[in-house]
Amino acid sequence: MGWVMLAAIGVGVAVALWLGGVARSLWTFVGAALMLGAAGYALQGQPLAPGHPVAANAEPIEIDPAAIEFRDSLLGRFTADGAYLIAADAMTRSGDTRSAVQAVLGGISKYPNSLTLWTGLGSALQMHDGAVSPAALLAFKHAAQLGPRHPAPSYYLGLAYIRAGQYATARPYWARALALSPAGAPYRKDIAFQLGRLDMFLAAAEQARGPAAP
C-alpha cells in the first residue's frame, strides 16, 4: 500500500508541475528528490506498522487582539512585509514558535531592509527562546539601525524584556520609545500609559524590598 501511495504522490507532483508551468529543465531536480524519498522509504519504511494518533507537542499561545491593533498603528496595516507577521501570529497561536520564527525569516529574505520584519523577528525569537537571547537582541538592534527615529524597535525590545521578567531592564527602552513617538501619533498615549504602569510596578517592588541594609 505504501508503494501505491508513493506512486500516486509522484503522479500528483508531475501533474502539479505541468499545471504550474514549471520548466521541464527543473523536473529532474524534483524527480531526484522523489527518488531520494523512495530510497529512504525502502530502507526505513514500515508500512505494516500499526497507526496511532499523534498528540500536538505545543500548547496554544493566546495573542491579545488589542496587541495586534497596537502593532498595526505602530508599524502600519495591510503592508506586504506585515503579511509575514500575520502568518507568524497564526503559528504562535498554535504554539509553534519555531515556525513563527521561520515565517518572519521568510519575509526578511524577500524584504531584507524591513524594520517591521526585523522587529518582528526579535519578538518571535524571544517567544521561541523564552528570553532575550543574543539572536533576538541582534534582530532588535538591526531594526533600530534601519529606523533610528522609529519607536517600534525600542518598544518591542522593552516588551521582550518584560515577557522575560526583566522589568527594570525594559524601562529605558520604553522611555526611549515614548521619546521617539510623535506628539500626534495615535500610539503615543498607549506607550505613555504602559510606561506609567511599569513605573508604578517598579516603585511598588522597590518599596516591598524595603530600605537597603547599612
Side-chain angles (χ1 to χ4, degrees), residues 9-87:
I9 291 172
V11 173
V13 170
V15 173
L17 292 173
W18 178 68
L19 291 176
V22 177
R24 287 184 177 274
S25 59
L26 298 178
W27 286 32
T28 55
F29 293 100
V30 180
L34 287 173
M35 291 302 296
L36 182 61
Y41 178 79
L43 291 173
Q44 300 181 2
Q46 297 180 354
L48 299 180
H52 61 278
V54 179
N57 60 356
E59 292 293 332
I61 299 174
E62 183 177 354
I63 299 179
D64 187 355
I68 302 297
E69 184 176 351
F70 174 80
R71 187 183 69 193
D72 289 343
S73 70
L74 189 58
L75 292 170
R77 189 191 303 266
F78 305 127
T79 60
D81 51 355
Y84 290 89
L85 295 188
I86 296 175

Side-chain angles (χ1 to χ4, degrees), residues 11-12 16 24 29 39 44 53 63 67 72 82 89 99 108-109 132 135 146 153 169-170 180 201-202 210:
V11 173
R24 287 184 177 274
F29 293 100
Q44 300 181 2
I63 299 179
D72 289 343
D89 290 341
S99 293
I108 289 175
S109 67
V132 183
L146 291 171
T169 306
L180 292 175
F201 174 83
L202 293 174

Side-chain angles (χ1 to χ4, degrees), residues 164-193:
Q166 298 175 260
Y167 303 102
T169 306
R171 205 275 172 194
Y173 293 104
W174 273 10
R176 175 172 172 77
L178 180 61
L180 292 175
S181 299
Y187 51 78
R188 180 182 173 84
K189 61 181 180 181
D190 294 321
I191 295 177
F193 176 74

